[in-house]
Amino acid sequence: SDELVLWFVLSTCEMSLHETFSDRVPAPERLELKQALTAMLHGPASSQLPASARSKAIVVLAQLARAAWPTEEPALLHEILTLLNEPGRSRALGARLLSAIAEEFAASDSRRPAGGRAVGTSGQQQQAQRQVALVAFLPHAYRALARALLAEAEAVRAATAATDDADAAGLCLDACQRLIGFGRMRSGAESATRTFTPDERAELPVLLSAVCAHLFPSGGRHRPAVAALGVIAELLELQDPGLSALVPPLVEPLVGLVQRLASEAAASTGPPQPRGPFGLDEDSLDELENALCFALNIVCHARLLRIAPDAAAPLLTALWAHSRHASAAQLQRFVRICNTLLEAAESLGVLAGGSAGA
């Protein structure tokens, strides 16, 4: 019940597992700690758990998963996926755990334990094996996350989405972004490319369709839309040539979001309005616009004129219609996107063509 004491205890567990390497702690002790943390996070009193303690407990569980999976508990990550089947706090917990596991499994094993002795070749091999196993697990995670996201979208349409602080949809989208970007996280390079496995590519179309179901804010909530744009940007930045077929279906909803922003911005002109497009306040709208323009900048850099040249004109028209009524920051983003599109047109030699002329 004392938040500070609980946070301190969990932080001690985290540092102990980090310094000694979690797989060097005896398995029975790790199992006992895992059971206690699971009861804390998913038990009857979980709703009373302070946010700081919840975050620390999830990090410690990810450390324990790194030690136990896949050799000691081969079904562990699939058990986490079952949490996504239940709406509300269960789904939110499953999504948080997936995000933490992606980060933990991507971490380097070059850390030094308290004694100063670096991990040996055997530890490096175990780390490589864990990462290979996680990549093989990713298609299962994509499938489960797609189902969860579609269920959340349906709940929003039916006006039955949870109104508490769980934000399961946003957390599932965060997990998608971290799992898709696992290759980049692993290499530690922001511009790293990522080659997806055939099994991953087979699951990504359904996952992206579920992600796009959250592109349009509703009920004054913008976070799922921002997170959905983050997933799309992450995927496009990884530059896997094998995913070119996935890009065209993303253009239409992105252009549609810009057009919707433009129409709602036009409707809100006139007397001062307490809320902007989608019923968002100024800060939330700025966050949405920033995420949208970041994703659009990646699309326009080299892909839009190649895969959907007819979309350039309506995109720019809608962007201008919205940006001229928006903040100065949004107008600057609009100019950057125009420059990106013109540079792409120049590199393709189509400046005299219809798309660039638009």
Side-chain angles (χ1 to χ4, degrees):
S1 60
D2 189 313
E3 181 176 359
L4 185 59
V5 172
L6 188 54
W7 183 88
F8 177 78
V9 171
L10 290 168
S11 296
T12 302
C13 292
E14 178 191 7
M15 291 306 300
S16 176
L17 292 170
H18 175 84
E19 294 294 338
T20 61
F21 293 102
S22 51
D23 53 359
R24 297 182 185 176
V25 177
E29 293 181 20
R30 285 190 274 111
L31 180 59
E32 184 178 2
L33 179 57
K34 173 194 163 188
Q35 291 171 339
L37 291 172
T38 301
M40 178 190 300
L41 289 166
H42 199 44
S46 61
S47 61
Q48 307 302 317
L49 191 65
S52 61
R54 186 186 309 277
S55 298
K56 279 292 179 187
I58 286 171
V59 170
V60 176
L61 271 179
Q63 289 177 309
L64 295 173
R66 176 182 170 128
W69 188 84
T71 51
E72 293 178 10
E73 298 184 65
L76 176 60
L77 296 196
H78 286 276
E79 291 171 3
I80 292 174
L81 292 185
T82 62
L83 294 172
L84 300 175
N85 296 333
E86 294 181 39
R89 296 188 179 277
S90 174
R91 184 169 289 155
L93 174 60
R96 285 190 175 106
L97 283 170
L98 288 175
S99 293
I101 283 168
E103 292 186 11
E104 180 66 27
F105 279 42
S108 170
D109 261 343
S110 61
R111 299 171 297 184
R112 292 179 179 272
R117 181 167 56 86
V119 67
T121 305
S122 174
Q124 294 173 351
Q125 290 174 343
Q126 289 177 355
Q127 168 71 347
Q129 290 169 357
R130 273 193 295 265
Q131 292 179 340
V132 169
L134 184 62
V135 170
F137 165 78
L138 290 179
H140 302 282
Y142 296 160
R143 192 178 310 131
L145 284 165
R147 287 196 299 264
L149 287 169
L150 290 173
E152 288 294 316
E154 180 58 34
V156 169
R157 284 191 292 269
T160 60
T163 56
D164 58 18
D165 61 351
D167 190 16
L171 292 167
C172 286
L173 289 160
D174 289 344
C176 290
Q177 183 172 353
R178 284 175 171 79
L179 292 173
I180 286 173
F182 179 66
R184 176 153 56 173
M185 293 166 62
R186 200 167 18 153
S187 70
E190 288 188 1
S191 59
T193 58
R194 163 103 145 85
T195 302
F196 291 84
T197 66
D199 288 342
E200 284 183 275
R201 291 175 186 163
E203 297 295 338
L204 281 171
V206 176
L207 177 61
L208 288 176
S209 177
V211 167
C212 288
H214 294 271
L215 271 181
F216 294 80
S218 63
R221 293 174 42 182
H222 74 295
R223 187 177 180 277
V226 171
L229 289 163
V231 175
I232 292 171
E234 183 75 31
L235 183 74
L236 295 173
E237 278 196 308
L238 291 171
Q239 304 170 19
D240 182 351
L243 297 182
S244 357
L246 294 181
V247 180
L250 296 176
V251 173
E252 183 178 350
L254 286 174
V255 173
L257 177 55
V258 177
Q259 291 172 330
R260 177 80 176 274
L261 273 170
S263 65
E264 296 215 1
S268 64
T269 56
Q273 300 288 326
R275 296 276 174 172
F278 298 108
L280 302 179
D281 60 33
E282 186 176 344
D283 291 340
S284 299
L285 181 60
D286 183 70
E287 188 178 357
L288 175 66
E289 291 168 342
N290 188 52
L292 173 60
C293 289
F294 182 76
L296 287 173
N297 206 52
I298 300 171
V299 172
C300 292
H301 179 66
R303 296 173 183 265
L304 185 66
L305 296 180
R306 290 180 183 274
I307 62 174
D310 293 339
L315 172 62
L316 291 178
T317 300
L319 265 176
W320 168 241
H322 170 59
S323 300
R324 65 188 174 133
H325 295 297
S327 65
Q330 173 57 19
L331 186 58
Q332 290 173 341
R333 296 178 194 122
F334 166 69
V335 172
R336 283 198 296 270
I337 290 175
C338 289
N339 286 337
T340 299
L341 197 56
L342 287 172
E343 288 171 3
E346 184 177 16
S347 69
L348 293 172
V350 295
L351 269 177
S355 296

